Amino acid sequence: MKPLRLLTALALLMAAMRPAFAADAIFPKGLRVGLTPLVGLAPSKTFSGFESEDHSVKVLVAELPAAAYGEVKNAFTANPAGTGSVKPESIETTAGTAYYTAETAKDGAATVRRYSMILPGGTFSGYVAVQVPENAAKIYSDDAVRQMFASATIRKEVPVEEQLGLLPFKLSDLASFKNVRTLAPGAAIILADGDEATGFEPAPFMIIGVIGATPQEPDDRARFARQAATQIPGVREAKITVAEPIRIDGMPAYETRIDAISGKDNTPVTVVQWLRFGGATSLRIVGSAPRDQWSAAFPRFRAVRDGIQPKS
């Protein structure tokens, strides 16, 4: 019985320790990719990731399209020896097998060590890039960076409050959209009834973000809005049906509506774009719905739009 008791006690101990190991991973705000940063690295205030106190060691964390991981995996399988002096390596993480490279490069006149890793996230790919200056290589060695890479993990969802808290504006009405997903932390967000697995286009969705440009003169707003509308990703065979200046919450704005085709299933959609002008940037609000769902979706788009307020 003693061996059985010992094994049981060991199993309980390991089970109790797992949450502690999982809690060691830190997720940059708004991202589903996290890891345990090496000693001396703290969350960055200027980008998504971690850095040393003197800002010389940087760890960038990001999300890429799901296909990116498969492309890297296929390249690794086809050419395991790599190219030149850069040889890809595989490493096991809690998210699955990841692939990374390490190389010596130049950052201006300084010699640095650069590492890049990609890992599977299901509906996305996780990406981590590290830069270590030569004078820090003894502490942040190849083995140390590999240990940090091995700690990488994926969380299924980012809390909605965390995502909204990063935006430079407040959203007071989410209009019962089922999914909230950060597109660019602190800059853009998507509200959708669909998800990444099924695709967003077959159901209503909205993209809200700040664009770092605004027309200097009121007479340029129509041209600016038309140009922005033609650059909405995934929209094909677009035909503008409405283009007019309006006001949103007392601010000058412009509304553009488009009939188009969108998505892999060539879904006929109606799209509305609102641009709210003011200051050095413009707020861009895009709502898209299958044409047969437009009448029900448009009031929801309006509710979200009218609930956007600047942060004090």
Side-chain angles (χ1 to χ4, degrees), residues 121-304:
T123 56
F124 68 99
S125 300
Y127 177 73
V128 183
V130 180
Q131 179 167 299
V132 178
E134 191 174 30
N135 60 6
K138 288 186 178 180
I139 299 174
Y140 301 101
S141 63
D142 286 359
D143 287 342
V145 173
R146 180 181 173 86
Q147 179 184 357
M148 180 172 63
F149 278 168
S151 74
T153 188
I154 299 293
R155 57 177 171 174
K156 192 171 183 180
E157 297 290 342
V158 180
V160 172
E161 295 77 12
E162 180 180 320
Q163 297 184 65
L164 298 182
L166 295 172
L167 297 172
F169 48 83
K170 292 189 292 186
L171 282 174
S172 61
D173 192 338
L174 300 182
S176 300
F177 278 105
K178 298 174 183 177
N179 294 301
V180 177
R181 174 75 64 230
T182 295
L183 293 179
I189 199 164
I190 184 169
L191 312 178
D193 283 342
D195 56 33
E196 292 164 306
T198 60
F200 294 119
E201 294 84 359
F205 71 90
M206 298 184 74
I207 297 175
I208 306 161
V210 173
I211 52 178
T214 190
Q216 298 298 315
E217 302 294 335
D219 292 344
D220 292 334
R221 288 171 184 160
R223 175 193 55 78
F224 184 83
R226 180 182 292 270
Q227 184 177 7
T230 60
Q231 296 174 350
I232 297 174
V235 171
R236 306 184 299 278
E237 301 177 27
K239 177 183 177 183
I240 294 178
T241 58
V242 174
E244 59 185 10
I246 61 172
R247 297 190 76 82
I248 299 175
D249 197 25
M251 300 288 290
Y254 206 93
E255 177 177 318
T256 308
R257 296 192 200 181
I258 300 169
D259 283 340
I261 300 297
S262 184
K264 61 183 180 181
D265 296 326
N266 296 319
T267 303
V269 296
T270 296
V271 180
V272 61
Q273 173 188 265
W274 290 296
L275 293 178
R276 191 175 75 185
F277 305 108
T281 60
S282 302
L283 180 65
R284 187 188 195 192
I285 307 163
V286 175
S288 173
R291 222 162 286 167
D292 58 359
Q293 300 178 43
W294 172 256
S295 59
F298 186 70
R300 298 171 68 193
F301 297 161
R302 285 281 303 266
V304 173

